[in-house]
Amino acid sequence: MSYRTAGSFPPVTLDDVRGAQKMLSGVARVTALESSRHLSQLVGAPVFLKCENLQRTGSFKLRGAYVRIAGLMPEERAAGVVAASAGNHAQGVALASSLLGVHATVFMPKGAPLPKISATEDYGAEVRLHGQVVDETLAAAQEYAAGTGAVFIHPFDHPDVIAGQGTVGLEILEQCPEVRTIVVGVGGGGLAAGLAVAVKALRPEVRIIGVQAAGSAAYPPSLAAGRPVAVENPVTVADGIRVGRPGDVPFAIVEELVDEVRTVGEDALSAALLLCLERAKLVVEPAGASPVAALLGGSGDVEGPVVAVLSGGNVDPVLLQRVLRHGMAAQGRYLAVSLRLTDRPGALATLLGVLSQADANVLDVSHVRTDPRLGLTEAEVELHLETKGPAHCAEVVRAVRAAGYTVID
C-alpha cells in the first residue's frame, strides 16, 4: 500500500518502512513503551508513553538520518553530507554518518546551546556556527552543499527520512497491538507522516492526532488551504517542532492519513514537561512533551489505549530550569507578589513571619526603597514564593492583606 507524495518524489510505502526497520536493526534502539497510571486517570483511558527520548542521540531523528544516508550511492557518500539543525537532527546526522563512515558537516545557529554543539561534535561531525536563526543556518548549509557537492540531508522533507521515522509506528503496533489512538508532535511532519504510513496500512481504524505549538502551528492553515503555508516568525519554547512551513513530502501524507492536528500553548507544554519529570521520571524536551500537553487539555476525548510519542529528551539545562519554573507557576506552585510596607527596622522580618505562618516558602526577595512612586516612609517588596497550588496562593494573599499589607495588583 502506498500514499502519494509531492513533486517528483516516489511514494512512501509500508514496504519502505519495513525495509527501514531492517536497516535500523542494531543501530536504533527499540525504545520502551511505558504505561502511565497518572495520565490514564486524567484521560480516563489507558495511556502509554513511547520513549523516543531514550533513543540514541536522545530523539527519533537518528532513524530517518541513518536510512537517508545509508541509501546514498558510493560516490555520494564519498562527497560527504551536510545538514542544518539547532539540535536533534544535527546529532542524528552526526551519529548516522559516523556509523556509516561518511564525513558530516553540520551547520548550527550561533546561539545553539553548548551541550547540543558538544554532543554533535562528539558524535563525529564537523560543526560550523552560522546565523542567528535556523533559516539563516539552513541557507548556509544549502550553499555549502551546492559549492562542495556534499549531499544535503533534510530533517523531514524526503521519503527515506519519512520511512525511517515510520519505524516508530511499527514498534508501537508491536508493543501495543490494541492501541486505538496515537498522539505525536508535529514540526515539519516527517515523524507524523512516517508513523501514519505504517499504522494506517496495518490498522486503518487507529486514530492519529498530530500536535503543534500554537505559536508555530503551520499545519492547520496549510490543511485548510490544501497546500503548505508558511507561518511568519514562529515562536515557541518547543524548538523541536518550531518549523515555519510543512515539508512538501510529509504534508501530502499528513493531509491524507493524519486524522486531526491540535495546537497547545506554552503553559500546557511547560505543565506537560513537568508532569513527565515528576510522575513518569522522564526527562523530555518541550517538543517531546507536546502529545502529553494535548492529552492534558483534551477533556478525555480520546479512545484508549492511547500512545503518546515522547519524541525527544535533548533539553538545555538552562531552558529546562526556565520551563520548569513556568510549569510550576502555571500550576499555582509559584507565586510572585509585590506589596508595600513601612520602611522601618524589622518590617521585612515581620512580613516573613506572616508568610511563614501561611506556610509559603520564600525563594527570592527584592527590596526597593528609591522608586519615586513610593512615599517617604514606604518600601516596595517583590516576593517569589513556593506554594502548594491555586488555593494556597489565594490563601497566602489573604493572609498578607489581613496583616495590613497593601498588595500591588
Side-chain angles (χ1 to χ4, degrees), residues 23 40 78 98 100 138 194 219 263 266 357 373 377 394 407:
M23 190 180 296
S40 299
S98 178
L100 292 165
L138 180 63
Y219 263 91
T263 61
E266 302 300 284
Q357 288 296 315
R373 297 172 301 166
T377 61
V407 177

Side-chain angles (χ1 to χ4, degrees), residues 47-355:
V47 176
F48 297 86
L49 305 175
K50 178 60 171 169
C51 300
E52 282 297 291
N53 59 310
L54 302 180
Q55 183 57 263
R56 296 178 72 178
T57 76
S59 88
F60 71 96
K61 289 288 190 178
L62 171 64
R63 297 173 183 263
Y66 187 91
V67 172
R68 173 76 173 101
I69 298 169
L72 296 178
M73 300 296 290
E75 60 271 20
E76 292 177 313
R77 290 196 191 193
V81 299
V82 60
S85 169
N88 288 346
H89 181 57
Q91 294 173 62
V93 168
L95 179 57
S97 299
S98 178
L99 293 172
L100 292 165
V102 177
H103 180 267
T105 303
V106 176
F107 285 76
M108 304 181 75
K110 291 180 180 179
L114 290 178
K116 294 187 177 182
I117 296 173
S118 177
T120 303
E121 291 176 331
D122 288 345
Y123 287 128
E126 175 190 348
V127 173
R128 299 191 180 193
L129 302 181
H130 185 93
Q132 299 299 327
V133 296
V134 175
D135 286 345
E136 296 174 355
T137 309
L138 180 63
Q142 292 172 325
E143 182 180 349
Y144 177 89
T148 64
V151 179
F152 179 69
I153 306 299
H154 200 284
F156 50 81
D157 206 11
H158 194 280
D160 289 349
V161 172
I162 292 170
Q165 320 304 28
T167 58
V168 175
L170 292 181
E171 289 179 16
I172 290 173
L173 295 183
E174 292 164 1
Q175 294 169 316
C176 185
E178 67 278 17
V179 63
R180 300 294 299 178
T181 306
I182 299 175
V183 190
V184 57
V186 180
L191 175 59
L195 188 151
V197 167
V199 172
K200 289 293 189 177
L202 296 170
R203 292 278 308 282
E205 75 280 8
V206 173
R207 185 169 180 80
I208 300 175
I209 300 174
V211 184
Q212 291 209 288
S216 181
Y219 263 91
S222 297
L223 292 169
R227 57 180 175 80
V229 174
V231 172
E232 293 185 8
N233 302 317
V235 177
T236 176
V237 71
D239 58 351
I241 53 175
R242 190 174 60 219
V243 177
R245 182 186 183 278
D248 292 331
V249 181
F251 174 80
I253 298 172
V254 169
E255 183 182 37
E256 186 170 350
L257 299 181
V258 173
D259 297 281
E260 179 186 356
V261 176
R262 299 182 181 182
T263 61
V264 294
E266 302 300 284
D267 286 351
L269 288 166
S270 299
L273 188 151
L274 181 61
L275 184 147
C276 289
L277 185 62
E278 286 191 328
R279 304 308 295 258
K281 316 306 178 189
L282 292 169
V283 176
V284 181
E285 61 190 271
S290 60
V292 175
L295 291 176
L296 292 177
S299 305
D301 60 346
V302 293
E303 183 181 359
V306 181
V307 173
V309 181
L310 307 182
S311 58
N314 292 318
V315 57
D316 178 45
V318 175
L319 176 62
L320 178 62
Q321 183 181 40
R322 182 159 58 91
V323 172
L324 289 178
R325 280 187 174 272
H326 187 81
M328 293 181 74
Q331 292 185 0
R333 293 165 61 182
Y334 278 134
L335 173 64
V337 60
S338 296
L339 49 86
R340 290 178 182 172
L341 70 166
T342 303
D343 189 14
R344 57 177 174 78
L348 183 58
T350 302
L351 171 61
L352 296 178
V354 172
L355 295 170

